Amino acid sequence: MNLAEKAKRLFAVIILVCFFLPLAQCSTKLPVNAAVRVNRPASEVLVPARVIELKSFEEVLWVAMYVWPMAFIYVRTKSKSNRAMALVACVEAVIGCLVLWFLVQTIKLWGEIRYGGVILVATHLAYVVAAGVTAYICVRGKSPSAIK
């Protein structure tokens, strides 16, 4: 197992832990002369583990954003041929870029980024770089034993 694979395993665990950390905070500003009082908190914090109940497809996708690295690591350890490993590595890098883009857009939409969001985005970025290195090694034709 090379350094990129070891780093990806570490990053996958950190991404999974970020599921329980606050990602962003949205502040609601009410007008000063509002005639109607609204019972709504002044700010709301996005913590995925608290808001996801797995009742809709969107919530399942939110959970998938945190567990997909583990699934790809498992598939890569089970694949035997170099061609299959290269395909999995390339798909992993592309999906990683899409998830990273979605995370940045979601956290930016929420407003103020919290420490969990910083850790999550930085770890996803590092994971995508490690996945790109792994894909490059596989595409260059290294043997599967060089990756495992």
Side-chain angles (χ1 to χ4, degrees):
M1 180 182 332
N2 65 8
L3 184 62
E5 284 293 320
K6 290 178 184 176
K8 282 176 23 181
R9 289 180 183 205
L10 174 67
F11 297 147
V13 170
I14 294 171
I15 289 169
L16 202 56
V17 169
C18 286
F19 184 70
F20 302 98
L21 298 177
L23 302 181
Q25 181 172 344
C26 178
S27 298
T28 307
K29 296 186 178 181
L30 299 175
V32 176
N33 57 1
V36 179
R37 283 290 192 208
V38 179
N39 291 330
R40 168 161 82 179
S43 67
E44 186 177 355
V45 177
L46 173 63
V47 179
R50 289 187 193 160
V51 296
I52 293 181
E53 298 172 356
L54 295 177
K55 291 184 178 178
S56 67
F57 182 68
E58 291 83 13
E59 291 176 346
V60 172
L61 286 178
W62 264 96
V63 173
M65 283 190 330
Y66 292 92
V67 298
W68 73 270
M70 294 287 191
F72 272 100
I73 289 170
Y74 176 76
V75 168
R76 287 191 34 80
T77 58
K78 295 299 178 189
S79 61
K80 301 290 183 206
S81 71
N82 193 26
R83 188 173 191 170
M85 290 176 78
L87 178 65
V88 169
C90 291
V91 169
E92 180 181 31
V94 170
I95 289 177
C97 289
L98 293 173
V99 169
L100 184 62
W101 175 81
F102 177 75
L103 281 173
V104 168
Q105 295 301 317
T106 302
I107 290 173
K108 189 170 67 170
L109 175 74
W110 266 76
E112 182 183 337
I113 190 167
R114 300 287 297 263
Y115 66 92
V118 172
I119 294 169
L120 181 64
V121 170
T123 307
H124 260 287
L125 180 61
Y127 188 91
V128 167
V129 169
V133 168
T134 305
Y136 178 75
I137 290 171
C138 285
V139 169
R140 293 285 293 179
K142 299 284 185 182
S143 67
S145 62
I147 304 300
K148 288 185 178 177

